[in-house]
Amino acid sequence: MQYTSTRDNSIRVSASQAIAQGISEEGGLFVPCSLPSFPLDKIASMAEMDYINRAKTVLKEFLTDFSDEELDYCVCGAYAKEKFSSEKIAPIVNVNNNENILELWHGPTCAFKDMALQLLPYLMTVSAKKTANGKTIVILVATSGDTGKAALEGFKDVENTKILVFYPVDGVSPMQKLQMTTQEGENVAVCAIQGNFDDAQSAVKAIFTNENIKSELAKKNMMFSSANSINWGRLVPQIVYYFSAYCDLIEQKRINCGDKINVVVPTGNFGNILAAYYAKRMGLPIKKLICASNSNNVLTDFINSGEYNKNREFFTTTSPSMDILISSNLERLLYHMSGEDSSLINELMNSLSEQGKYAVSKDLKDKIKAEFCGGFADENGVFATIKEQFERFDYLCDTHTAVAVKVYEDYVKQSGDDIPTVIDSTASPYKFSKSVLSAISDDINIVSDEFKTVDELNSKTGAEVPKPLKALKDKEVRFKDVCSKENMSEMVFKLLNI
């Protein structure tokens, strides 16, 4: 399989090159030139497999320059049972009638990013040996909370890599911050920025394409790559868990193979729901892709109007991983749905860069609306949903999952479409313990100490506290740097000791 760029579709690279490079030279995102087909009999056979073998079945279609031995090494290493608190890796929990929660947070950092970022270091190492000529790969990450810790954990002490993570100083939860700033590993560094996630992400993209910076790295035999979902190696593992969820529903006898399902995804950067779109294009029977936003509802407005406009008030919410106004992976969807029109993508992305907005044609808007439905939940809706899910169904969910549940419930009320549905749960509630505790109880004692809040939430609900979060309590804070968004490139050099 070959890959091309959303901004220059004459480009052809292998999977290894796309993964090692991260982003195309001209700033475009790598996408597959074609998608494999998964007929129903193949999906039915996957229902009898465990997660590792389901992953191999999907990934071998995309990573065609990986040998069977290399793929086995990557997948078995990433999804080793001791790394995940559930034998199913990504279990499906039926909460109410056709509402099925896909728990994607049983990995070492208790967030859905582990599903890809436990695999990416393996993919990167194999890819680098094929394409990077012994260079040290510098993983540069902007995070709104979960990607940073998951990437740090995945890449810590991986040979011939360094990883630098930037996060908005006031834009992550206390637990997320603690996870990053206490990170172990000789090849890791973390820095806060004065700004929001979009500021960090835009600066990272600019650094990636800055010839002077790349030249300085080359002198040290280094090259940039990405662990954000702009990297195809981050996105492709996410396709797997949609096939796995469908197979689990077959196994649980909630559907028959061939029955259609809906999928609801809380998303800011659009990567997680884009993976579901790819799964649908490959043959997974998905009827509607429901895009759930928080108060930063730029995606909802785009799906409904065809205009993408980031020139709006930015809200810092209790679902910080979705506090995003520039959804990078939407570029990939626009490329596919426009008939692979890279000149149009350049025009739209230039407009976004220069004016902060763009509008698509009615035809393209209608194509997107045929596949996607957009909705959002404000803070009151999020808190009410957490409370209702716990009181009615004894299910404790985090703030991001609550966004998805609320949008799903609104969708069903408006459309009457209540077929079996998979709702992504993207983080443990204990990563946002103060918000979740505030939602479920009026009679609480919220304190500044994060771990006392965790204990209070555990006492109120009985929900198990994940071991990786418990272990943070006495860890030393290693990283205290804060920089401006304008000085991120200088900080990269400082952190790399260049």
Side-chain angles (χ1 to χ4, degrees):
M1 178 176 285
Q2 294 285 294
Y3 292 80
T4 189
S5 168
T6 52
R7 301 189 195 181
D8 181 357
N9 61 13
S10 68
I11 287 172
R12 293 291 182 275
V13 300
S14 66
S16 294
Q17 189 173 338
I19 291 167
Q21 194 172 320
I23 190 170
S24 190
E25 292 287 348
E26 80 296 337
L29 307 186
F30 289 117
V31 291
C33 293
S34 60
L35 287 170
S37 175
F38 274 59
L40 290 178
D41 59 344
K42 189 169 186 175
I43 295 171
S45 70
M46 289 171 66
E48 300 174 6
M49 301 176 185
D50 63 8
Y51 193 89
I52 283 176
N53 284 299
R54 290 171 185 173
K56 289 181 189 176
T57 302
V58 173
L59 293 172
K60 72 184 295 185
E61 303 291 336
F62 289 99
L63 308 176
T64 52
D65 57 336
F66 282 56
S67 69
D68 288 343
E69 292 76 19
E70 287 170 336
L71 188 61
D72 187 70
Y73 160 75
C74 292
V75 174
C76 291
Y79 302 119
K81 293 290 194 290
E82 63 269 16
K83 292 184 177 182
F84 288 79
S85 61
S86 169
E87 285 189 15
K88 297 289 287 184
I89 308 298
I92 278 272
V93 178
N94 179 259
V95 173
N96 176 38
N97 297 326
N98 284 329
E99 184 180 315
N100 302 282
I101 304 290
L102 174 59
E103 293 185 343
L104 297 169
W105 44 264
H106 287 276
T109 77
C110 309
F112 83 102
K113 305 295 174 72
D114 288 325
M115 300 301 299
L117 282 165
Q118 282 300 301
L119 182 61
L120 181 60
Y122 290 93
L123 300 180
M124 189 77 76
T125 302
V126 172
S127 297
K129 286 178 181 176
K130 295 176 186 290
T131 65
N133 300 320
K135 290 183 179 178
T136 295
I137 295 180
V138 178
I139 309 296
L140 196 57
V141 178
T143 184
S144 54
D146 288 331
T147 290
K149 172 58 181 177
L152 289 162
E153 188 65 27
F155 279 96
K156 73 175 181 184
D157 294 328
V158 171
E159 190 178 2
N160 296 323
T161 66
K162 293 181 181 292
I163 178 165
L164 314 179
V165 170
F166 293 90
Y167 69 93
V169 65
D170 295 318
V172 300
S173 78
M175 189 67 82
Q176 287 174 317
K177 181 177 180 179
L178 200 56
Q179 283 187 302
M180 289 186 281
T181 57
T182 60
Q183 178 64 47
E184 299 169 349
E186 293 302 311
N187 64 335
V188 308
V190 178
C191 181
I193 74 150
Q194 294 159 341
N196 59 38
F197 169 75
D198 291 322
D199 296 324
Q201 179 171 249
S202 296
V204 162
K205 279 190 166 184
I207 292 168
F208 264 116
T209 54
N210 186 303
E211 293 300 327
N212 293 331
I213 296 174
K214 288 195 290 185
S215 175
E216 288 300 312
L217 259 67
K219 292 175 185 176
K220 301 290 186 180
N221 202 32
M222 296 178 178
M223 62 177 279
F224 280 132
S225 191
S226 172
N228 284 86
S229 56
I230 55 176
N231 190 318
W232 178 252
R234 246 293 301 278
L235 192 56
V236 69
Q238 297 180 267
I239 298 171
V240 173
Y241 52 68
Y242 291 107
F243 278 94
S244 185
Y246 191 87
C247 290
D248 282 347
L249 290 177
I250 295 172
E251 194 178 38
Q252 294 176 14
K253 298 189 175 3
R254 299 194 180 279
I255 60 170
N256 296 312
C257 190
D259 290 350
K260 288 197 171 184
I261 63 169
N262 288 327
V263 173
V264 189
V265 184
T267 187
N269 221 8
F270 206 74
N272 201 357
I273 196 166
L274 182 67
Y277 167 77
Y278 281 129
K280 179 177 180 178
R281 285 272 307 270
M282 292 161 64
L284 195 67
I286 296 174
K287 179 182 176 184
K288 205 74 175 180
L289 296 159
I290 301 165
C291 179
S293 300
N294 63 16
S295 297
N296 294 295
N297 60 337
V298 63
L299 284 168
T300 304
D301 287 349
F302 171 70
I303 290 168
N304 291 328
S305 72
E307 181 181 37
Y308 194 99
N309 190 340
K310 75 177 187 69
N311 302 318
R312 60 178 66 211
E313 184 178 359
F314 178 87
F315 297 100
T316 299
T317 74
T318 56
S319 47
S321 296
M322 299 162 65
D323 289 348
I324 296 171
L325 294 180
I326 303 175
S327 304
S328 290
N329 276 290
L330 189 57
E331 179 173 336
R332 284 184 165 114
L333 180 74
L334 293 170
Y335 175 79
H336 293 299
M337 287 209 156
S338 66
E340 302 174 351
D341 187 345
S342 56
S343 61
L344 173 65
I345 301 307
N346 276 294
E347 181 185 317
L348 295 177
M349 294 306 115
N350 286 337
S351 179
L352 181 63
S353 176
E354 293 165 9
Q355 301 171 36
K357 62 182 180 179
Y358 60 78
V360 301
S361 66
K362 182 180 184 303
D363 179 57
L364 184 49
K365 181 192 85 168
D366 290 345
K367 283 183 181 177
I368 293 169
K369 284 209 72 166
E371 301 282 353
F372 293 84
C373 175
F376 77 98
D378 62 19
E379 292 290 81
N380 289 335
V382 168
F383 275 55
T385 301
I386 293 171
K387 186 179 179 72
E388 182 186 41
Q389 288 284 295
F390 182 67
E391 290 183 348
R392 288 187 61 196
F393 309 120
D394 197 30
Y395 187 84
L396 190 66
C397 68
D398 88 300
T399 47
H400 303 74
T401 307
V403 168
V405 172
K406 176 68 167 68
V407 169
Y408 166 69
E409 291 173 348
D410 290 346
Y411 170 80
V412 171
K413 285 175 187 172
Q414 292 162 9
S415 67
D417 179 17
D418 63 348
I419 64 172
T421 297
V422 168
I423 302 173
D424 283 10
S425 178
T426 56
S428 163
Y430 284 102
K431 292 196 77 169
F432 308 94
S433 52
K434 180 178 178 181
S435 298
V436 174
L437 184 57
S438 299
I440 63 162
S441 177
D442 300 322
D443 179 26
I444 56 171
N445 178 29
I446 296 289
V447 293
S448 58
D449 185 279
E450 182 72 4
F451 293 96
K452 287 182 180 176
T453 307
V454 166
D455 290 343
E456 181 92 3
L457 183 59
N458 174 253
S459 174
K460 288 280 185 186
T461 66
E464 186 177 356
V465 183
K467 290 179 182 177
L469 300 184
K470 278 185 185 177
L472 289 172
K473 188 172 184 179
D474 299 314
K475 289 190 76 172
E476 178 188 357
V477 172
R478 293 182 64 199
F479 302 104
K480 300 177 182 178
D481 284 328
V482 182
C483 72
S484 69
K485 59 187 178 183
E486 292 82 10
N487 291 332
M488 278 177 59
S489 56
E490 288 87 345
M491 184 57 72
V492 166
F493 289 136
K494 177 186 173 184
L495 295 176
L496 290 173
N497 296 314
I498 294 177

